[in-house]
Amino acid sequence: MTIDGTELMKKLISLSKRLGYVFQSGEIYGGLQSSWDYGPLGVELKKNIETSWWDYTVKTRPDVVGMDSAIITHPDVWMASGHLKNFHDPMVDCRECKGRFRLDHVKGDRCPECGGELTEPRDFGLMFKTKMGALEDESATVYLRPETCQSIFINFKNIVTATRQKLPFGIAQIGKAFRNEITTRNFVFRTREFEQMEMEYFCLPEEADKWFKYWLDQRMKWYLELGIKEDHLRLRTHDDSELAHYASSCVDIEYTFPFAPDGWGELEGIANRTDFDMKSHMRESGQDLSFQNLLTNQKIVPYVVETSGGIGRTLLAVLIDAYREEEVEGRTRVVLGLHRNLAPIKAAILPLSKKLSEQAYEVFELIRPYFPVQFDVTGSIGKRYRRMDEAGTPFCITFDFDSLEDKQVTIRERDSLDQIRIPIDTLASKLSDLMEHGWS
Ligand code: GAP
């Protein structure tokens, strides 16, 4: 069934709350705008996305290492990176409804909400400032990082010394970033506190274009591996006017977010940051961050190819892509068709009747050490199937009265609704096979 974009977002936000994916933060106090909390299923989905990214980008590659840095960063970092000078958006206010908008989000000179008159644009700093220590004066000012990658640049020397990596190699990090965005909306798409997955690949300047293409390809493959439909993804090259101050080229991976004005919204940016950051930090810190080129024996400042994606946006794209409604036997079935690797619950153990709870619980205990499984006995079996379909659980295991005699259970697959019956003592290995290879 086709669902209109606005309707889809409403349904998804409601499902997220009902099943424990995402909650409005501070809801009992009226909600804190643009802040979202991840519930029991949301945190598992988020962790599965992070693990997938980390395995793909770091663990399976000899040329990429990881790190995890502090959020509150030395203030000079933001001077060197150019953020204190450049990281602001021109903003306009509506004189009528008092709405505030980013200039580049406004078409024409009238308020997009009420059509009222807008003020002249003025700059709005995006960095979150705070004070560190007991002093309250300017010398105590520090910033919450607006991107995670600067900590990678400032640790470059430490990491090269510690790991003895040779060019080309990458340093990756997952972590929180903060931006005091002027407007936030569309669920977790644009928030003031969010998580990034960033990888900085250091290479010879003359090889930067080659690695840029390579990483673009890798990143696209990763989104496809998450199960996102290919025709829901596209690449978009930045034109010169929108390039960030540090980049010589940038391509965004975009997804068909239903609320995006032209139908496409940014998931991730892949940029050639040249030697801008490394040279800036060399200048500001007085430290030598150059690298010995083994071929020429000369010292060079490496170029950096960056891949920078957001976890919130990936999670939102995954949820939107997975959500579907279909008619089954005259009833609407809501399914979150999550890829089995991402699904927070891999299987649910469902006794057909409460009377079978004790024996079915033994099956649950048998499987629990190997997979995130759930035991559910509340409500009719039909309702429990539907709840698991909505939660995105790929397999339901039903323990019925025959199971007492034949020591077998039924596995029902979420998407095809096909069922097979197998001996309980082969269940763990069957599930592990299904998790690896899928149903068919
Ligand atoms: N280090 C480069 C950098 O930060 P960016 O395009 O500003 O580049 C990279 O951000 C990614 O971080 C975006 O593609 C998006 O996925 C995520 N992101 C940026 N701002 C965000 C926000 N306000 N809310 C949620 N995610 C955001």
Side-chain angles (χ1 to χ4, degrees), residues 91-122:
M91 162 194 92
V92 286
D93 289 305
C94 173
R95 294 190 201 279
E96 313 296 326
C97 72
K98 309 295 175 212
R100 179 164 282 181
F101 309 97
R102 252 168 68 173
L103 185 63
D104 61 334
H105 287 178
V106 176
K107 288 198 178 82
D109 52 7
R110 295 256 142 206
C111 170
E113 297 287 338
C114 75
E117 189 192 345
L118 297 172
T119 59
E120 284 301 308
R122 57 203 165 91

Side-chain angles (χ1 to χ4, degrees), residues 147 149 179 181 188-191 194 196 198 246 266-269 273 306 308-310 313:
E147 57 179 8
C149 60
R179 296 181 191 177
E181 301 277 4
V188 294
F189 181 81
R190 189 181 305 284
T191 51
F194 55 95
Q196 289 188 314
E198 298 204 294
Y246 50 74
E266 175 187 339
L267 261 181
E268 164 155 354
R273 292 184 77 121
E306 171 182 80
S308 174
R313 283 192 196 178

Side-chain angles (χ1 to χ4, degrees), residues 263-305:
W264 295 93
E266 175 187 339
L267 261 181
E268 164 155 354
I270 291 93
N272 179 350
R273 292 184 77 121
T274 66
D275 53 7
F276 175 90
D277 303 276
M278 300 303 279
K279 280 197 169 150
S280 303
H281 287 301
M282 283 172 78
R283 202 168 45 242
E284 199 70 25
S285 68
Q287 300 273 326
D288 180 10
L289 303 180
S290 62
F291 206 94
Q292 194 82 20
N293 181 348
L294 294 178
L295 294 175
T296 61
N297 236 1
Q298 281 174 337
K299 281 195 146 191
I300 51 135
V301 179
Y303 264 40
V304 178
V305 171

